Amino acid sequence: MGKSRKPRRSAADLASVVESVDGGLAELIPDRDRARAWTLLIDGAPQSHVDLDDPAHLSFEYQRRLGHVIDLVAPPGKPVQAVHLGGGAFTLARYVAATRPRSTQQVVERDAALVQLVRRELPLDRAARVRVRSADAREGLAKVPDGWADLVIADVFSGARTPAHLTSTEFLDEVRRALRPGGWYAANLADGPPLAHLRGQIATAAAARFAELALVADPTVLRGKRFGNAVLVAADLPLPVAELTRRAASDPHPARVEHGRSLRDFTGGAVPVTDAAAVASPAPPASVFT
């Protein structure tokens, strides 16, 4: 008889992992409903959800919306070259690797201690072509070759706020430099009433001369009724707005897509943000995480 195998432990059998990282106190909380899934929190704020057995599963609302962008950036299954600014638990890089095998990806995550924690506790698939660089997002982006990326995703938060230097036209000029012709940019933005930050980010993307813009968000967020996330999508070629709208509307938490005139009306008289005037995104109210 062969040797008996020791049963693989599931997340539900394990205790949380708590460790100090550069950005605060990191916690990996096991998902009691999925065998090898975990939620990453930093100082109590949810950052990422990862299912090691099913990396194509996206739990968080905003990550599902970014997943739709990934699905639509190129024909289904086609490998892409992607840059992720902000790593978290590498959820979206894992998603790209699972849904578009042979993709080549770069993850830029400033928190080196967090990168070590995630690599140890939630290791990447060895077949995934993912390079992780511990650096500031803008400094890491500057090292990406001109025209290298099919997709740049910005999902960077420090203390639950997007750093000021990642909100400006100068930053988006660097994004455009890294994108190939026809490439897409997507950003996870967070704001609440009166939505000044969100409107300013749309104006900034327009000032960076992206020909096509779309915004995906919960209608209550767009109406300024509550604090929440919105995904900004920018490209130089026409976006598949109808398909993005269909996918966003069919999510467990449906979202609305603003595009064209409705997006311009939403932006109102907001002015582009420059490095000289940039400020971090607003801090979420304490009630968001309770």
Side-chain angles (χ1 to χ4, degrees), residues 2-34:
K3 294 182 179 179
S4 61
R5 292 187 177 181
K6 185 178 180 180
R8 183 173 63 181
R9 294 185 300 173
S10 71
D13 301 321
L14 301 175
S16 301
V17 178
V18 181
E19 195 167 301
S20 292
V21 295
D22 300 338
L25 188 67
E27 298 176 80
L28 287 172
I29 310 296
D31 186 332
R32 303 300 176 181
D33 296 321
R34 302 180 73 89

mmCIF file of all heavy atoms in Angstrom, residues 2-34:
data_model
loop_
_atom_site.group_PDB
_atom_site.id
_atom_site.type_symbol
_atom_site.label_atom_id
_atom_site.label_comp_id
_atom_site.label_asym_id
_atom_site.label_seq_id
_atom_site.Cartn_x
_atom_site.Cartn_y
_atom_site.Cartn_z
ATOM 1 N N GLY A 2 0.420 2.281 -0.717
ATOM 2 C CA GLY A 2 1.167 3.526 -0.728
ATOM 3 C C GLY A 2 0.954 4.303 0.551
ATOM 4 O O GLY A 2 0.100 3.974 1.380
ATOM 5 N N LYS A 3 1.736 5.332 0.705
ATOM 6 C CA LYS A 3 1.619 6.164 1.894
ATOM 7 C C LYS A 3 0.306 6.946 1.849
ATOM 8 O O LYS A 3 -0.112 7.432 0.794
ATOM 9 C CB LYS A 3 2.791 7.155 1.968
ATOM 10 C CG LYS A 3 4.144 6.486 2.181
ATOM 11 C CD LYS A 3 5.219 7.540 2.292
ATOM 12 C CE LYS A 3 6.586 6.894 2.530
ATOM 13 N NZ LYS A 3 7.650 7.914 2.611
ATOM 14 N N SER A 4 -0.344 7.036 2.984
ATOM 15 C CA SER A 4 -1.566 7.828 3.055
ATOM 16 C C SER A 4 -1.213 9.309 3.009
ATOM 17 O O SER A 4 -0.201 9.731 3.571
ATOM 18 C CB SER A 4 -2.339 7.520 4.341
ATOM 19 O OG SER A 4 -1.564 7.849 5.470
ATOM 20 N N ARG A 5 -2.028 10.093 2.330
ATOM 21 C CA ARG A 5 -1.780 11.521 2.217
ATOM 22 C C ARG A 5 -2.448 12.277 3.351
ATOM 23 O O ARG A 5 -3.581 11.996 3.707
ATOM 24 C CB ARG A 5 -2.303 12.045 0.876
ATOM 25 C CG ARG A 5 -1.521 11.526 -0.319
ATOM 26 C CD ARG A 5 -1.988 12.237 -1.581
ATOM 27 N NE ARG A 5 -1.223 11.826 -2.737
ATOM 28 C CZ ARG A 5 -1.403 12.305 -3.958
ATOM 29 N NH1 ARG A 5 -2.354 13.214 -4.168
ATOM 30 N NH2 ARG A 5 -0.662 11.888 -4.967
ATOM 31 N N LYS A 6 -1.728 13.224 3.857
ATOM 32 C CA LYS A 6 -2.294 14.074 4.903
ATOM 33 C C LYS A 6 -3.316 15.015 4.284
ATOM 34 O O LYS A 6 -3.036 15.669 3.274
ATOM 35 C CB LYS A 6 -1.184 14.895 5.557
ATOM 36 C CG LYS A 6 -1.649 15.741 6.741
ATOM 37 C CD LYS A 6 -0.475 16.469 7.355
ATOM 38 C CE LYS A 6 -0.919 17.311 8.545
ATOM 39 N NZ LYS A 6 0.211 18.033 9.153
ATOM 40 N N PRO A 7 -4.541 15.051 4.808
ATOM 41 C CA PRO A 7 -5.564 15.924 4.220
ATOM 42 C C PRO A 7 -5.098 17.377 4.168
ATOM 43 O O PRO A 7 -4.469 17.876 5.105
ATOM 44 C CB PRO A 7 -6.757 15.768 5.171
ATOM 45 C CG PRO A 7 -6.517 14.469 5.869
ATOM 46 C CD PRO A 7 -5.036 14.331 5.995
ATOM 47 N N ARG A 8 -5.376 18.046 3.056
ATOM 48 C CA ARG A 8 -5.002 19.451 2.928
ATOM 49 C C ARG A 8 -5.945 20.306 3.768
ATOM 50 O O ARG A 8 -7.157 20.185 3.682
ATOM 51 C CB ARG A 8 -5.099 19.874 1.454
ATOM 52 C CG ARG A 8 -4.650 21.290 1.211
ATOM 53 C CD ARG A 8 -4.617 21.596 -0.273
ATOM 54 N NE ARG A 8 -5.941 21.495 -0.873
ATOM 55 C CZ ARG A 8 -6.179 21.695 -2.156
ATOM 56 N NH1 ARG A 8 -5.189 21.939 -2.974
ATOM 57 N NH2 ARG A 8 -7.415 21.603 -2.633
ATOM 58 N N ARG A 9 -5.355 21.158 4.570
ATOM 59 C CA ARG A 9 -6.172 22.017 5.414
ATOM 60 C C ARG A 9 -6.803 23.127 4.594
ATOM 61 O O ARG A 9 -6.202 23.664 3.677
ATOM 62 C CB ARG A 9 -5.325 22.625 6.529
ATOM 63 C CG ARG A 9 -4.798 21.604 7.526
ATOM 64 C CD ARG A 9 -4.086 22.279 8.663
ATOM 65 N NE ARG A 9 -2.956 23.074 8.206
ATOM 66 C CZ ARG A 9 -2.234 23.878 8.997
ATOM 67 N NH1 ARG A 9 -2.545 23.988 10.270
ATOM 68 N NH2 ARG A 9 -1.224 24.563 8.508
ATOM 69 N N SER A 10 -8.029 23.442 4.930
ATOM 70 C CA SER A 10 -8.725 24.534 4.258
ATOM 71 C C SER A 10 -8.600 25.793 5.099
ATOM 72 O O SER A 10 -8.206 25.759 6.270
ATOM 73 C CB SER A 10 -10.197 24.185 4.062
ATOM 74 O OG SER A 10 -10.865 24.207 5.308
ATOM 75 N N ALA A 11 -8.977 26.937 4.479
ATOM 76 C CA ALA A 11 -8.939 28.202 5.215
ATOM 77 C C ALA A 11 -9.818 28.141 6.454
ATOM 78 O O ALA A 11 -9.517 28.749 7.481
ATOM 79 C CB ALA A 11 -9.377 29.348 4.295
ATOM 80 N N ALA A 12 -10.915 27.390 6.370
ATOM 81 C CA ALA A 12 -11.837 27.299 7.496
ATOM 82 C C ALA A 12 -11.210 26.588 8.694
ATOM 83 O O ALA A 12 -11.684 26.729 9.820
ATOM 84 C CB ALA A 12 -13.110 26.577 7.073
ATOM 85 N N ASP A 13 -10.150 25.794 8.447
ATOM 86 C CA ASP A 13 -9.480 25.097 9.540
ATOM 87 C C ASP A 13 -8.390 25.940 10.179
ATOM 88 O O ASP A 13 -7.810 25.544 11.196
ATOM 89 C CB ASP A 13 -8.834 23.804 9.021
ATOM 90 C CG ASP A 13 -9.849 22.866 8.400
ATOM 91 O OD1 ASP A 13 -10.949 22.767 8.951
ATOM 92 O OD2 ASP A 13 -9.526 22.255 7.368
ATOM 93 N N LEU A 14 -8.070 27.068 9.588
ATOM 94 C CA LEU A 14 -6.905 27.836 9.994
ATOM 95 C C LEU A 14 -7.292 29.086 10.753
ATOM 96 O O LEU A 14 -8.392 29.614 10.609
ATOM 97 C CB LEU A 14 -6.091 28.228 8.750
ATOM 98 C CG LEU A 14 -5.580 27.067 7.888
ATOM 99 C CD1 LEU A 14 -4.901 27.611 6.648
ATOM 100 C CD2 LEU A 14 -4.635 26.177 8.674
ATOM 101 N N ALA A 15 -6.350 29.552 11.541
ATOM 102 C CA ALA A 15 -6.542 30.810 12.253
ATOM 103 C C ALA A 15 -6.107 31.962 11.369
ATOM 104 O O ALA A 15 -5.399 31.783 10.369
ATOM 105 C CB ALA A 15 -5.731 30.799 13.541
ATOM 106 N N SER A 16 -6.531 33.149 11.735
ATOM 107 C CA SER A 16 -6.098 34.336 11.007
ATOM 108 C C SER A 16 -4.593 34.518 11.152
ATOM 109 O O SER A 16 -3.981 34.094 12.138
ATOM 110 C CB SER A 16 -6.824 35.570 11.548
ATOM 111 O OG SER A 16 -8.222 35.431 11.412
ATOM 112 N N VAL A 17 -4.023 35.166 10.162
ATOM 113 C CA VAL A 17 -2.601 35.528 10.198
ATOM 114 C C VAL A 17 -2.525 37.027 10.400
ATOM 115 O O VAL A 17 -3.103 37.797 9.625
ATOM 116 C CB VAL A 17 -1.887 35.128 8.889
ATOM 117 C CG1 VAL A 17 -0.420 35.559 8.925
ATOM 118 C CG2 VAL A 17 -2.011 33.631 8.644
ATOM 119 N N VAL A 18 -1.859 37.451 11.454
ATOM 120 C CA VAL A 18 -1.755 38.873 11.777
ATOM 121 C C VAL A 18 -0.279 39.242 11.831
ATOM 122 O O VAL A 18 0.506 38.586 12.527
ATOM 123 C CB VAL A 18 -2.433 39.203 13.122
ATOM 124 C CG1 VAL A 18 -2.338 40.699 13.420
ATOM 125 C CG2 VAL A 18 -3.886 38.747 13.110
ATOM 126 N N GLU A 19 0.094 40.290 11.096
ATOM 127 C CA GLU A 19 1.519 40.639 10.998
ATOM 128 C C GLU A 19 1.654 42.117 10.673
ATOM 129 O O GLU A 19 0.884 42.667 9.872
ATOM 130 C CB GLU A 19 2.156 39.795 9.892
ATOM 131 C CG GLU A 19 3.658 39.760 9.905
ATOM 132 C CD GLU A 19 4.193 38.658 9.000
ATOM 133 O OE1 GLU A 19 3.858 37.473 9.232
ATOM 134 O OE2 GLU A 19 4.942 38.988 8.059
ATOM 135 N N SER A 20 2.623 42.759 11.283
ATOM 136 C CA SER A 20 2.895 44.159 10.977
ATOM 137 C C SER A 20 3.613 44.255 9.634
ATOM 138 O O SER A 20 4.550 43.506 9.369
ATOM 139 C CB SER A 20 3.761 44.793 12.072
ATOM 140 O OG SER A 20 3.037 44.889 13.287
ATOM 141 N N VAL A 21 3.146 45.163 8.799
ATOM 142 C CA VAL A 21 3.795 45.436 7.520
ATOM 143 C C VAL A 21 4.090 46.928 7.464
ATOM 144 O O VAL A 21 3.778 47.673 8.396
ATOM 145 C CB VAL A 21 2.902 44.989 6.344
ATOM 146 C CG1 VAL A 21 2.720 43.473 6.363
ATOM 147 C CG2 VAL A 21 1.542 45.688 6.371
ATOM 148 N N ASP A 22 4.695 47.360 6.389
ATOM 149 C CA ASP A 22 5.082 48.773 6.313
ATOM 150 C C ASP A 22 3.883 49.704 6.402
ATOM 151 O O ASP A 22 3.975 50.799 6.943
ATOM 152 C CB ASP A 22 5.836 49.038 5.000
ATOM 153 C CG ASP A 22 7.110 48.200 4.889
ATOM 154 O OD1 ASP A 22 7.615 47.754 5.935
ATOM 155 O OD2 ASP A 22 7.577 47.989 3.756
ATOM 156 N N GLY A 23 2.731 49.275 5.861
ATOM 157 C CA GLY A 23 1.553 50.134 5.812
ATOM 158 C C GLY A 23 0.642 50.024 7.008
ATOM 159 O O GLY A 23 -0.418 50.665 7.032
ATOM 160 N N GLY A 24 1.003 49.222 8.010
ATOM 161 C CA GLY A 24 0.154 49.078 9.188
ATOM 162 C C GLY A 24 0.062 47.633 9.618
ATOM 163 O O GLY A 24 1.000 46.843 9.434
ATOM 164 N N LEU A 25 -1.075 47.254 10.185
ATOM 165 C CA LEU A 25 -1.282 45.892 10.659
ATOM 166 C C LEU A 25 -2.065 45.113 9.610
ATOM 167 O O LEU A 25 -3.210 45.439 9.293
ATOM 168 C CB LEU A 25 -2.059 45.897 11.978
ATOM 169 C CG LEU A 25 -2.176 44.527 12.672
ATOM 170 C CD1 LEU A 25 -0.808 44.062 13.164
ATOM 171 C CD2 LEU A 25 -3.160 44.595 13.827
ATOM 172 N N ALA A 26 -1.427 44.084 9.071
ATOM 173 C CA ALA A 26 -2.068 43.247 8.047
ATOM 174 C C ALA A 26 -2.706 42.037 8.716
ATOM 175 O O ALA A 26 -2.145 41.426 9.621
ATOM 176 C CB ALA A 26 -1.046 42.792 7.017
ATOM 177 N N GLU A 27 -3.900 41.700 8.246
ATOM 178 C CA GLU A 27 -4.599 40.507 8.711
ATOM 179 C C GLU A 27 -5.066 39.703 7.502
ATOM 180 O O GLU A 27 -5.646 40.252 6.571
ATOM 181 C CB GLU A 27 -5.824 40.883 9.548
ATOM 182 C CG GLU A 27 -5.531 41.661 10.803
ATOM 183 C CD GLU A 27 -6.818 42.062 11.512
ATOM 184 O OE1 GLU A 27 -7.394 41.218 12.223
ATOM 185 O OE2 GLU A 27 -7.243 43.215 11.320
ATOM 186 N N LEU A 28 -4.806 38.412 7.531
ATOM 187 C CA LEU A 28 -5.360 37.488 6.547
ATOM 188 C C LEU A 28 -6.426 36.671 7.260
ATOM 189 O O LEU A 28 -6.125 35.898 8.174
ATOM 190 C CB LEU A 28 -4.269 36.582 5.972
ATOM 191 C CG LEU A 28 -3.295 37.239 5.004
ATOM 192 C CD1 LEU A 28 -2.153 36.279 4.664
ATOM 193 C CD2 LEU A 28 -4.011 37.685 3.733
ATOM 194 N N ILE A 29 -7.675 36.877 6.876
ATOM 195 C CA ILE A 29 -8.815 36.249 7.531
ATOM 196 C C ILE A 29 -9.329 35.111 6.653
ATOM 197 O O ILE A 29 -9.660 35.336 5.485
ATOM 198 C CB ILE A 29 -9.948 37.265 7.770
ATOM 199 C CG1 ILE A 29 -9.403 38.531 8.453
ATOM 200 C CG2 ILE A 29 -11.071 36.634 8.579
ATOM 201 C CD1 ILE A 29 -8.860 38.300 9.829
ATOM 202 N N PRO A 30 -9.416 33.894 7.176
ATOM 203 C CA PRO A 30 -9.929 32.796 6.346
ATOM 204 C C PRO A 30 -11.402 32.975 6.014
ATOM 205 O O PRO A 30 -12.191 33.444 6.834
ATOM 206 C CB PRO A 30 -9.694 31.562 7.221
ATOM 207 C CG PRO A 30 -9.616 32.075 8.624
ATOM 208 C CD PRO A 30 -9.031 33.450 8.534
ATOM 209 N N ASP A 31 -11.750 32.623 4.803
ATOM 210 C CA ASP A 31 -13.132 32.668 4.337
ATOM 211 C C ASP A 31 -13.801 31.353 4.728
ATOM 212 O O ASP A 31 -13.418 30.286 4.258
ATOM 213 C CB ASP A 31 -13.152 32.845 2.809
ATOM 214 C CG ASP A 31 -14.552 33.050 2.251
ATOM 215 O OD1 ASP A 31 -15.520 32.548 2.863
ATOM 216 O OD2 ASP A 31 -14.678 33.680 1.194
ATOM 217 N N ARG A 32 -14.792 31.418 5.582
ATOM 218 C CA ARG A 32 -15.429 30.200 6.092
ATOM 219 C C ARG A 32 -16.298 29.516 5.044
ATOM 220 O O ARG A 32 -16.716 28.368 5.236
ATOM 221 C CB ARG A 32 -16.279 30.534 7.327
ATOM 222 C CG ARG A 32 -15.496 31.211 8.451
ATOM 223 C CD ARG A 32 -14.361 30.358 8.972
ATOM 224 N NE ARG A 32 -13.556 31.043 9.978
ATOM 225 C CZ ARG A 32 -12.487 30.522 10.568
ATOM 226 N NH1 ARG A 32 -12.081 29.309 10.213
ATOM 227 N NH2 ARG A 32 -11.811 31.212 11.474
ATOM 228 N N ASP A 33 -16.571 30.195 3.934
ATOM 229 C CA ASP A 33 -17.449 29.625 2.920
ATOM 230 C C ASP A 33 -16.700 29.048 1.720
ATOM 231 O O ASP A 33 -17.301 28.359 0.899
ATOM 232 C CB ASP A 33 -18.433 30.687 2.412
ATOM 233 C CG ASP A 33 -19.363 31.165 3.512
ATOM 234 O OD1 ASP A 33 -19.792 30.328 4.333
ATOM 235 O OD2 ASP A 33 -19.640 32.384 3.562
ATOM 236 N N ARG A 34 -15.391 29.349 1.619
ATOM 237 C CA ARG A 34 -14.605 28.866 0.486
ATOM 238 C C ARG A 34 -13.326 28.242 1.030
ATOM 239 O O ARG A 34 -12.631 28.864 1.839
ATOM 240 C CB ARG A 34 -14.309 29.988 -0.510
ATOM 241 C CG ARG A 34 -15.587 30.642 -1.050
ATOM 242 C CD ARG A 34 -15.272 31.750 -2.048
ATOM 243 N NE ARG A 34 -14.810 31.217 -3.324
ATOM 244 C CZ ARG A 34 -15.612 30.901 -4.334
ATOM 245 N NH1 ARG A 34 -16.925 31.050 -4.220
ATOM 246 N NH2 ARG A 34 -15.119 30.436 -5.459
#
